[in-house]
């Protein structure tokens, strides 16, 4: 079976809020150079979902990762290879920058068509920069395949894919025909660590790099947007927390409760 | 699509009633429709729509379309898309609004792409640009570390609204509105992803979304026990519910259904007591609408102290029993 996983290199979402600075000229946020980008955590879990299927028969299943961006850091984008993916394709060009969900899904769908053979496509449920959560569904729509979003478990049996989809009050079990696109949520469980052997193997693999012309698109990135960013801004936080203190923490705790009565919230 | 007019809310029915998120979307839609001097309509999809249609009128809709079919009992993308696509084409609205829910997050992007546009997901604010009549959608980005306002020239403009971000109108049973069937012959053969079973994992007691007070724990709780002991005890006294940030869920200390945050539940209780959680932007996205946030954390630099109204710096193991005791005295 051929599986494709779409991964994005993002600013580190776990870094302290203070590390996020506004780059108003380019309508984006940036982080200082010492904060290293990461693979979007949901995308790592999408890789994990594919690898769990590959684990059932390593020789029979192939996992290809596609990453879109510019100035991609090789040891960041190669992480899925060191986890056990077979191949990495980079859609890397300055022209890919500044796209919205529509532009990104269009480019990824074009690349998947070029790969040609696919039974399952995995994406993270959303990426941690624009938190858009529509690229996966968009790719499925462009390719004309079914999609199941926000999955916590994915298995293949009898030529069908069985998915557990997270809902507000539990989950649903779905069954879909293949090819199918699945977006993966954190409930799937933690992604595996890269092994030393995996890192060695990944270091020897060279990613395939495709430019917009290679996937047959004239308009990509900012030029292919359907929506425009009118304004990007950092809301000002008032930060007026009243700290209740006392030499005895238990006394402070009692005072905190009294404060809530004063506020009339209890 | 220069003739697109009006606003269409793709509504949801929960336990036979109009879902709260749909009333919220209708409240926002009413405001926008009045500004545009255009109509607000709502489509309700399901096996039985029943009284939800009247509730949608009471919540602000001028017209309510109902599409009923046994094949629409569960939300299935391929089936609901048949209705949504036909409604978007036949009714030709300028704006389509959905809730940022299990259904909305799944349906909105596919509908947008099928119509050749892009959706704006998880909006906190919606406004109309007076000059262009375009919808301006403001939403959190970068895990809540920034916000962005989006617009688009392509119609229809499709947006999902975050739960509890928009105010519903006070239901007015006297409001006049039309209710009409919008029949769609569902082709079940085109449904490629089918629901086999729906599993509810709701925790006992007050529902997190409805609770007036929420006591939430984070990574610093150290394990599953405090969630069922100390936090549960305090929640019980406050007649509230227990929640968690993401790490306790990822560590399987608590069920995933009590996760509060960007990808978990979005709540806005009167009182939110955050215990041993750092208050990441992703977490705050799920609770920043709370009226009063209280922080208990041993790290004075934790982000939660930038978000809270009042707090104590210190070990929760010392603070919580004394705090709970005093709350008990004050509320009895």
């Amino acid at each position: 079976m051929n599986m494709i996983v779409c991964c994005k290199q993002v600013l580190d979402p776990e870094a302290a809020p203070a590390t996020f600075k506004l780059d108003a000229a380019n309508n984006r946020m940036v982080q200082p150079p010492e904060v290293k980008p990461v693979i979007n955590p949901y995308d790592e879990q999408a890789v994990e979902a594919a690898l769990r299927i590959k684990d059932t028969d390593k020789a029979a299943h192939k996992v290809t990762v596609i990453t879109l961006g510019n100035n991609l850091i090789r040891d960041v984008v190669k992480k899925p290879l060191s986890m056990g993916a077979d191949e990495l394709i980079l859609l890397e060009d300055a022209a890919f920058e500044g796209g919205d969900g529509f532009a990104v899904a269009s480019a990824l769908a074009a690349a998947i068509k070029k790969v040609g053979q696919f039974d399952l496509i995995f994406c993270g449920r959303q990426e941690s920069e624009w938190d858009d959560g529509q690229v996966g569904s968009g790719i499925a729509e462009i390719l004309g395949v079914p999609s199941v979003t926000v999955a916590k478990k994915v298995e293949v049996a009898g030529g069908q894919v069985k998915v557990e989809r997270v809902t507000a009050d539990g989950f649903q079990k779905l069954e879909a025909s293949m090819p199918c696109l699945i977006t993966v949520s954190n409930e799937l469980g933690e992604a595996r660590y890269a092994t030393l052997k995996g890192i060695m193997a990944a270091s020897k693999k060279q990613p395939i790099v495709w430019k917009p012309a290679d996937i047959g698109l004239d308009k990509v990135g900012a030029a292919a947007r359907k929506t425009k960013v009118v304004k990007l801004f950092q809301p000002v936080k008032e930060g007026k927390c009243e700290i209740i203190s006392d030499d005895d923490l238990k006394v402070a705790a009692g005072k905190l409760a009294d404060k809530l009565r004063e506020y009339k919230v209890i | 699509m220069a003739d697109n007019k009006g606003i269409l809310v793709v509504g949801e029915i929960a336990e036979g009633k109009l879902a709260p998120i749909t009333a919220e979307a209708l409240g926002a839609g009413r405001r926008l429709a009045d500004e545009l001097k255009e109509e607000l309509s709502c489509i309700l999809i399901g096996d039985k729509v029943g009284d939800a249609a009247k509730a949608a009128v009471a919540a602000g809709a001028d017209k309510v379309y109902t599409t009923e079919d046994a094949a629409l009992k569960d939300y299935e993308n391929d089936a609901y898309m048949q209705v949504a696509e036909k409604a978007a084409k036949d009714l030709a609205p300028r704006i389509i609004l959905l809730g940022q829910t299990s259904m909305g997050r799944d349906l909105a992007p596919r509908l947008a792409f099928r119509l050749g546009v892009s959706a704006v997901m998880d909006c906190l604010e919606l406004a109309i640009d007076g000059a262009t009549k375009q919808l301006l959608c403001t939403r959190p980005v970068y895990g809540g570390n920034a916000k962005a306002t989006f617009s688009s020239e392509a119609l229809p403009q499709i947006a999902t609204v975050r739960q509890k971000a928009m105010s519903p109108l006070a239901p007015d049973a006297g409001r006049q509105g039309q209710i009409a069937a919008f029949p769609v012959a569902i082709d079940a053969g085109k449904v490629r992803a089918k629901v086999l079973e729906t599993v509810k994992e709701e925790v006992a007691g007050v529902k997190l979304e409805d609770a007036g007070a929420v006591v939430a724990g984070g990574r610093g709780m150290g394990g599953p026990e405090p969630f069922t002991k100390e936090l549960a005890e305090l929640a019980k006294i406050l007649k509230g519910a227990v929640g968690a940030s993401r790490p306790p869920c990822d560590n399987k200390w608590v069920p995933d259904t009590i996760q509060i945050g960007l990808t978990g539940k979005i709540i806005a209780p009167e009182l939110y007591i955050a215990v041993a959680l750092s208050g990441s932007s992703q977490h705050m996205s799920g609770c920043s609408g709370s009226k009063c946030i209280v922080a208990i954390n041993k790290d004075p630099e934790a982000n939660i102290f930038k978000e809270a109204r009042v707090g104590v710096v210190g070990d929760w193991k010392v603070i919580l029993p004394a705090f709970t005791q005093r709350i008990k005295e004050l509320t009895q």
Side-chain angles (χ1 to χ4, degrees):
Chain A
M1 221 172 58
N2 289 293
M3 293 179 279
I4 294 176
V5 189
C6 302
C7 290
K8 188 182 179 190
Q9 174 184 306
V10 295
L11 302 186
D12 184 356
E14 303 289 329
T19 63
F20 288 84
K21 301 276 184 252
L22 184 67
D23 173 3
N26 294 302
N27 261 337
R28 64 178 181 188
M29 301 296 283
V30 290
Q31 277 176 336
E34 64 272 19
V35 184
K36 204 174 157 188
V38 295
I39 293 287
N40 175 42
Y42 294 118
D43 298 349
E44 270 191 25
Q45 281 160 321
V47 173
E48 176 65 29
L51 291 177
R52 285 183 192 175
I53 293 170
K54 186 178 163 76
D55 287 343
T56 61
D57 188 347
K58 282 205 163 54
H61 303 309
K62 182 181 176 188
V63 177
T64 303
V65 172
I66 307 181
T67 295
L68 174 146
N70 191 36
N71 296 325
L72 298 168
I73 300 171
R74 291 300 186 265
D75 64 347
V76 172
V77 296
K78 276 186 163 186
K79 187 172 178 190
L81 289 177
S82 58
M83 288 165 67
D86 299 287
E87 202 166 275
L88 175 64
I89 298 169
L90 301 179
L91 304 179
E92 190 177 32
D93 196 280
F96 285 122
E97 288 195 284
D100 62 358
F102 193 90
V104 172
S106 303
L108 289 170
I112 292 167
K113 273 188 207 161
K114 181 168 167 140
V115 170
Q117 290 192 314
F118 52 88
D119 302 288
L120 286 175
I121 305 164
F122 291 94
C123 295
R125 62 177 288 176
Q126 63 197 66
E127 51 87 13
S128 60
E129 292 187 345
W130 296 98
D131 286 314
D132 204 25
Q134 60 181 326
V135 166
S137 298
I139 293 170
E141 184 60 31
I142 294 169
L143 296 174
V145 303
S147 53
V148 181
T149 54
V150 202
K152 68 167 188 167
K153 192 173 179 188
V154 187
E155 285 171 335
V156 174
Q160 299 268 66
V161 59
K162 289 179 189 289
V163 186
E164 290 183 6
R165 174 175 195 261
V166 180
T167 60
D169 55 6
F171 63 96
Q172 282 183 321
K173 293 183 182 177
L174 287 101
E175 190 173 69
S177 58
M178 295 194 282
C180 182
L181 183 140
I182 291 154
T183 78
V184 176
S185 191
N186 55 286
E187 288 85 351
L188 182 99
E190 281 202 41
R192 66 195 60 193
Y193 291 106
T195 59
L196 190 60
K197 200 176 143 202
I199 294 168
M200 298 288 283
S203 70
K204 288 181 196 137
K205 278 188 194 160
Q206 284 308 310
I208 300 162
V209 180
W210 287 345
K211 300 284 172 189
D214 295 321
I215 52 171
L217 295 180
D218 348 312
K219 277 192 183 173
V220 295
R225 289 188 76 101
K226 289 282 183 182
T227 56
K228 59 176 184 239
V229 180
V230 179
K231 185 169 68 165
L232 175 68
F233 59 104
Q234 279 183 294
V236 183
K237 279 178 193 157
E238 289 171 23
K240 282 186 282 188
C241 181
E242 187 180 344
I243 302 288
I244 313 280
S245 52
D246 194 285
D247 291 339
D248 184 349
L249 265 186
K250 288 177 185 162
V251 175
K255 285 186 189 166
L256 180 64
D258 292 337
K259 207 75 192 174
L260 299 187
R261 172 46 60 95
E262 189 187 315
Y263 293 158
K264 299 190 172 68
V265 289
I266 57 164
Chain B
M1 293 203 210
D3 298 332
N4 288 47
K5 261 208 167 90
I7 297 171
L8 175 68
V9 171
V10 180
E12 292 184 50
I13 301 164
E15 286 155 20
K17 291 184 182 147
L18 190 73
I21 180 67
T22 301
E24 292 163 20
L26 285 168
R30 183 72 263 162
R31 204 167 35 81
L32 302 173
D34 290 345
E35 204 170 325
L36 287 164
K37 299 188 174 63
E38 294 180 6
E39 252 180 10
L40 173 66
S41 49
C42 177
I43 184 159
L44 294 170
I45 307 167
D47 58 341
K48 279 192 209 85
V49 170
D51 288 342
K54 278 184 197 153
V57 171
D62 298 311
K63 272 188 190 157
V64 179
Y65 299 95
T66 60
T67 305
E68 294 180 318
D69 193 305
L72 298 168
K73 184 173 180 291
D74 289 313
Y75 167 74
E76 289 175 328
N77 185 287
D78 288 326
Y80 274 56
M81 270 295 292
Q82 294 177 36
V83 182
E85 184 184 2
K86 188 173 190 318
K89 289 183 174 161
D90 291 4
L91 307 174
R94 174 194 301 283
I95 294 167
I96 301 176
L97 301 180
L98 299 94
Q100 176 78 355
T101 57
S102 202
M103 175 183 110
R105 317 185 136 94
D106 192 77
L107 187 62
R110 275 204 91 128
L111 178 63
F113 275 70
R114 189 156 305 175
L115 301 172
V117 297
S118 189
V120 184
M121 308 295 287
D122 202 16
C123 300
L124 297 174
E125 289 163 46
L126 299 173
I128 299 288
D129 179 329
T132 60
K133 292 194 174 180
Q134 281 169 12
L135 180 68
L136 300 171
C137 310
T138 302
R139 56 181 299 266
V141 291
Y142 290 89
N145 285 304
K147 282 186 186 174
T149 303
F150 296 86
S151 188
S152 72
E153 284 164 19
L155 298 180
Q157 285 188 265
I158 299 180
T160 67
V161 299
R162 175 176 286 197
Q163 299 188 52
K164 314 236 185 218
M166 315 277 165
S167 308
L169 307 180
D172 176 2
R175 275 198 87 240
Q176 295 299 308
Q178 290 175 20
I179 298 172
F182 186 80
V184 180
I186 302 298
D187 183 348
K190 286 190 178 158
V191 179
R192 298 163 294 182
K194 297 183 181 75
V195 173
L196 303 178
E197 190 186 348
T198 299
V199 183
K200 297 216 181 217
E201 288 182 322
E202 206 57 81
V203 245
V206 183
K207 273 179 85 173
L208 201 46
E209 298 93 316
D210 304 334
V214 171
V215 184
R219 197 194 303 269
M221 300 312 295
E225 293 80 17
F227 286 89
T228 51
K229 289 183 184 153
E230 288 92 341
L231 298 185
E233 188 196 353
L234 178 56
K236 197 177 169 197
I237 293 166
L238 295 166
K239 297 185 177 60
V242 173
S245 59
R246 205 176 123 181
C249 301
D250 284 350
N251 287 330
K252 306 288 172 208
W253 298 344
V254 294
D256 293 321
T257 46
I258 71 163
Q259 183 194 322
I260 295 159
L262 190 60
T263 56
K265 292 218 156 67
I266 311 274
I267 57 168
E270 293 293 315
L271 176 61
Y272 189 77
I273 301 174
V275 186
L277 63 80
S278 66
S280 70
S281 300
Q282 289 85 351
H283 177 71
M284 296 318 296
S285 296
C287 62
S288 59
S290 308
K291 304 291 175 296
C292 179
I293 298 176
V294 178
I296 297 172
N297 199 299
K298 65 178 181 201
D299 176 11
E301 299 301 318
N303 191 57
I304 192 68
F305 288 112
K306 293 195 177 70
E307 309 277 353
R309 181 171 176 188
V310 62
V312 174
V313 179
D315 186 352
W316 69 266
K317 291 193 189 94
V318 182
I319 297 166
L320 210 54
F323 177 67
T324 303
Q325 180 57 36
R326 183 70 186 138
I327 294 268
K328 204 171 179 178
E329 289 163 16
L330 289 167
T331 53
Q332 271 172 1

